[in-house]
Amino acid sequence: MPVQLIADGTMSNDSGIMFNYASSVLKRYNRALTAHIEPAVELVPRNLFNVNLDSRNFYVPGLITLMILVTSTLLTSIAIVREKEIGTIEQVMVTPIGRFEFIIGKTLPFFLTGYLTTTMMFVLARVVFGITVKGSVVVLIFVVGLNILSYLGLALLISTISHTQQQALLTAFFIMMPCALLSGYLFPVNNMPQAVQYLTHLNPMRWGFEAITGVVIKGAGLVDLWQQIMWEMVHAVGFLTIAAAKFRKTL
């Protein structure tokens, strides 16, 4: 009778320990069977989502998520502070638009640009690396949009509190590095110290990375990604609201 042992590959340490124990149990069992001249039990490993363990199936969607972070954050972080430097912000101050209307106006062009660049990256991933989306394209568009909004909100927050473009760019670079390191793309989150794992909840790239790779590699749906979607919404709404609150139509 076949027996199946399933382990979560994202928890590499726990999975390795579990299969080592299973392998040692089978070895002892097979040694006992040889005394009775019975066929040995064979352990056949199988990878569920990435059968051949092709690294491109993991790294290419992760790299796309990282590029979304870089392009969205760098371009948007200088959106407001640039107007402060060249003096055009004074023209905005005399208009009747409110703070939220101004933030939305600054968000929409970069949001559409982010969708365009993301689409180009997925097309290149399909043509060059043969990466196909196993899940729903509609779900992928939805989670990518939330991910872009969270990055734009963070970048606009940087732009509102910065005084020069150089300060905004340096702040964006300073924030992007820990975002990439604590996203799970380079190191599994479950292998990090417990305190750092709690800290990753504040990282928008972690939830974007998990959501995008979940749809592309695993074919996950909205129900499977409810936690990632919830945190992406929290980051998007929270960053945009704080950025609007920080913006003042006065010098």
Side-chain angles (χ1 to χ4, degrees), residues 2-110:
V3 177
Q4 186 179 39
L5 177 63
I6 301 177
D8 187 356
T10 60
M11 304 175 64
S12 57
N13 290 337
D14 297 339
S15 300
I17 294 173
M18 184 186 305
F19 278 105
N20 286 335
Y21 277 128
S23 178
S24 62
V25 170
L26 282 178
K27 287 179 180 178
R28 290 197 299 267
Y29 183 72
N30 287 331
R31 283 198 297 267
L33 288 179
T34 54
H36 301 84
I37 318 179
E38 295 183 19
V41 177
E42 184 181 1
L43 179 63
V44 181
R46 183 169 64 94
N47 302 297
L48 184 58
F49 299 111
N50 191 1
V51 178
N52 298 322
L53 292 179
D54 293 328
S55 59
R56 65 175 183 268
N57 292 337
F58 175 82
Y59 286 111
V60 173
L63 184 60
I64 291 176
T65 310
L66 180 60
M67 292 304 298
I68 297 173
L69 170 68
V70 173
T71 55
S72 301
T73 306
L74 288 183
L75 292 176
T76 316
S77 61
I78 61 174
I80 298 177
V81 70
R82 183 174 181 274
E83 295 196 16
K84 294 179 183 178
E85 283 192 337
I86 64 179
T88 54
I89 193 69
E90 297 175 358
Q91 301 176 12
V92 178
M93 294 177 182
V94 298
T95 61
I97 64 172
R99 290 177 296 180
F100 282 98
E101 289 86 352
F102 178 76
I103 293 298
I104 292 174
K106 285 295 182 183
T107 303
L108 283 178
F110 295 106

Side-chain angles (χ1 to χ4, degrees), residues 7 11 55 59 74 79 85 103 114 131 138 140 151 160 165 167 200 204 206-207 210 220-221 228-230 240:
M11 304 175 64
S55 59
Y59 286 111
L74 288 183
E85 283 192 337
I103 293 298
I131 303 298
V138 177
L140 180 62
Y151 296 154
T160 55
Q165 296 184 58
Q167 180 184 1
T200 60
R206 173 192 172 178
W207 307 111
E210 292 182 359
Q228 288 77 12
I229 292 173
M230 179 192 70
L240 289 173

Side-chain angles (χ1 to χ4, degrees), residues 121-138:
M121 286 187 286
F122 272 109
V123 171
L124 288 175
R126 178 68 178 90
V127 174
V128 178
F129 298 100
I131 303 298
T132 58
V133 180
K134 293 186 178 180
S136 171
V137 177
V138 177

Side-chain angles (χ1 to χ4, degrees), residues 146-147 150 197-208 210 225-239:
L146 288 178
N147 196 28
S150 62
Q197 291 186 33
Y198 289 125
L199 188 62
T200 60
H201 286 73
L202 303 177
N203 182 8
M205 184 179 170
R206 173 192 172 178
W207 307 111
E210 292 182 359
L225 301 173
W226 69 268
Q227 185 180 13
Q228 288 77 12
I229 292 173
M230 179 192 70
W231 278 104
E232 283 189 328
M233 287 182 175
V234 169
H235 286 136
V237 174
F239 287 138

